[in-house]
Amino acid sequence: MRFNWLSEYVASIVSTDSTTTAWRQLQEQLLNPQAIYCRIKSTSAEALEHIVIACAVYLLVCLGLYKLTFWLSQHNNNAADRERDRNRNRNLGGGGEVGGGLKKALQSGLSLRSIRLPKTVHMERVLLVTAHPDDECMFFGPLIYTLTQRQGCQVYILCLSNGNFDQQGQVRRQELWRSCSKLGIPESNIVLMNATNLPDDPNVDWRPDAVAGLILHAVESLSIQAIFTFDRDGVSSHPNHCAVYYAAASLCLANLLPKDCQFYTLDSINLVRKYLSIFDLLCTCFMSTHWCILNWKEAGIVRSAMMEHQSQMKWFRWLYIYTSRYMFINSMRQINLSDVELEMQIHDN
């Protein structure tokens, strides 16, 4: 019994050695390149499967919301349609009230609508300020189409350059007329500038005071109630687009716009959302305050307007008009003085 402690000590050493050996074998298995590859492969396959499922669910939800939005908006297009529906329901003995009641319940519960803009009474005379011919349909098509379909709404275009970058100013002028005609804007409502200090050139900085003077003159002479133009990022980050925003923002900052004139900008979005087409619907409804959404037939009118700019229809433009969300969806936000001050600080920094 005297040497029990020695036998216990030897047993503990043997146990420790076996544990260390097992741990070393486990490390060798874990650090084996083939084992690492197998683990990465299985994990990646599982993650990819989850991503595909999530994307498929998202696309299905967007398609469902897209169809549901126009179904809910269909019976609210105008007062005449609603009156005709009520008369038809009465003639059918009330059988159609269930569908109408369902639509109203879904509308109140989901707040879905294809158009969410200020009332017409506040937007009877609208000015759209663009930098080049083709901006009106390439970026603002859904907005212009929606406004021109409103009763009593006059839409004006102020295009600050004639698009003479490739020495095709006259051609692009005629293309602008035809494009606006497709969108419902008469030629008399188009103001096309041809100023030497505002060339169509991304390498030339437009002076904000020069652009601001032109915008203010148009607003005052046309009694404009709402201005729509690019935001700080200019959708495509084109310097001329951004210059238009800073010029309009400087008018707001200096309090030179009439009190009844509101200032709105078109949302710039990231590259992925930009080419999601109608599948950007969910993001738009959750992240924007004002929007207008076109169905496929209405978007076809915007595409046909873009096709009038034949001098600009390169191969990538054909992809753009079928994949870009700006052919189907426009989202805007109203800009106030505090917004302008904040963005000017960001710009200065």
Side-chain angles (χ1 to χ4, degrees):
M1 301 300 293
R2 184 180 302 175
F3 299 101
N4 282 346
W5 63 272
L6 183 59
S7 61
E8 291 176 358
Y9 177 70
V10 172
S12 64
I13 292 176
V14 173
S15 177
T16 303
D17 289 342
S18 62
T19 303
T20 304
T21 304
W23 174 249
R24 188 177 294 110
Q25 291 176 351
L26 179 61
Q27 283 184 321
E28 290 177 355
Q29 291 177 359
L30 292 175
L31 297 178
N32 185 4
Q34 185 176 1
I36 294 174
Y37 171 76
C38 292
R39 286 197 302 274
I40 293 176
K41 183 179 179 181
S42 61
T43 305
S44 300
E46 184 178 357
L48 182 60
E49 181 182 354
H50 291 165
I51 292 173
V52 170
I53 292 174
C55 291
V57 170
Y58 176 82
L59 297 180
L60 289 175
V61 169
C62 286
L63 279 176
L65 287 177
Y66 186 71
K67 297 293 290 183
L68 183 61
T69 298
F70 289 102
W71 181 70
L72 294 176
S73 302
Q74 186 177 5
H75 78 302
N76 283 327
N77 286 336
N78 51 56
D81 289 340
R82 291 195 298 270
E83 183 65 26
R84 185 167 60 251
D85 290 341
R86 285 195 292 270
N87 292 336
R88 184 169 62 249
N89 290 336
R90 284 196 294 269
N91 293 336
L92 293 173
E97 289 294 334
V98 176
L102 178 60
K103 285 184 178 181
K104 291 179 181 178
L106 287 173
Q107 277 184 321
S108 60
L110 298 176
S111 298
L112 285 175
R113 61 185 74 175
S114 59
I115 301 170
R116 188 174 182 180
L117 292 173
K119 295 181 179 179
T120 306
V121 68
H122 303 299
M123 298 179 63
E124 292 181 348
R125 302 177 71 83
V126 177
L127 177 66
L128 188 78
V129 185
T130 63
H132 317 106
D134 77 8
D135 288 347
E136 78 287 344
C137 52
M138 182 178 291
F139 304 116
F140 296 91
L143 173 65
I144 295 176
Y145 179 84
T146 300
L147 292 175
T148 54
Q149 298 305 304
R150 283 186 165 189
Q151 293 292 331
C153 182
Q154 286 288 328
V155 181
Y156 297 87
I157 297 284
L158 173 60
C159 186
L160 294 169
S161 74
N162 64 350
N164 200 35
F165 183 71
D166 295 322
Q167 309 303 317
Q168 292 183 313
Q170 289 299 323
V171 173
R172 299 195 67 182
R173 174 191 180 95
Q174 297 302 319
E175 291 174 346
L176 177 63
W177 293 166
R178 293 194 298 268
S179 174
C180 288
S181 177
K182 286 286 184 70
L183 294 173
I185 301 177
E187 186 175 330
S188 59
N189 287 12
I190 306 172
V191 180
L192 177 62
M193 304 304 301
N194 186 19
T196 55
N197 61 337
L198 300 177
D200 177 9
D201 191 342
N203 299 315
V204 176
D205 292 331
W206 289 1
R207 289 179 51 188
D209 57 339
V211 177
L214 296 173
I215 296 175
L216 184 60
H217 176 73
V219 168
E220 293 176 340
S221 60
L222 297 173
S223 302
I224 296 300
Q225 294 178 302
I227 300 173
F228 286 89
T229 190
F230 299 101
D231 66 358
R232 179 168 56 93
D233 296 318
V235 179
S236 61
S237 299
H238 194 295
N240 298 161
H241 297 177
C242 301
V244 177
Y245 165 77
Y246 286 112
S250 67
L251 294 175
C252 183
L253 191 63
N255 201 25
L256 294 176
L257 292 175
K259 292 183 179 180
D260 62 340
C261 182
Q262 305 298 322
F263 178 28
Y264 298 88
T265 59
L266 181 68
D267 289 338
S268 294
I269 55 178
N270 60 58
L271 190 64
V272 175
R273 289 184 59 195
K274 186 175 181 179
Y275 291 100
L276 276 180
S277 187
I278 62 173
F279 299 109
D280 189 54
L281 175 65
L282 197 59
C283 295
T284 298
C285 292
F286 275 107
M287 302 174 65
S288 304
T289 54
H290 301 289
W291 64 74
C292 45
I293 304 168
L294 303 184
N295 59 36
W296 186 263
K297 182 178 179 181
E298 294 168 339
I301 297 175
V302 178
R303 287 193 295 271
S304 67
M306 182 62 203
M307 291 178 188
E308 293 295 336
H309 294 277
Q310 283 297 319
S311 64
Q312 305 303 303
M313 291 303 293
K314 313 299 183 185
W315 66 269
F316 54 88
R317 291 280 165 75
W318 287 100
L319 293 176
Y320 179 90
I321 64 175
Y322 286 102
T323 60
S324 173
R325 57 93 77 173
Y326 288 101
M327 293 286 108
F328 296 89
I329 303 171
N330 276 164
S331 57
M332 291 73 58
R333 68 186 182 101
Q334 185 174 354
I335 302 296
N336 53 40
L337 184 59
S338 60
D339 295 325
V340 173
E341 291 175 345
L342 177 61
E343 294 193 351
M344 287 297 184
Q345 291 177 2
I346 295 174
H347 175 65
D348 292 340
N349 292 334

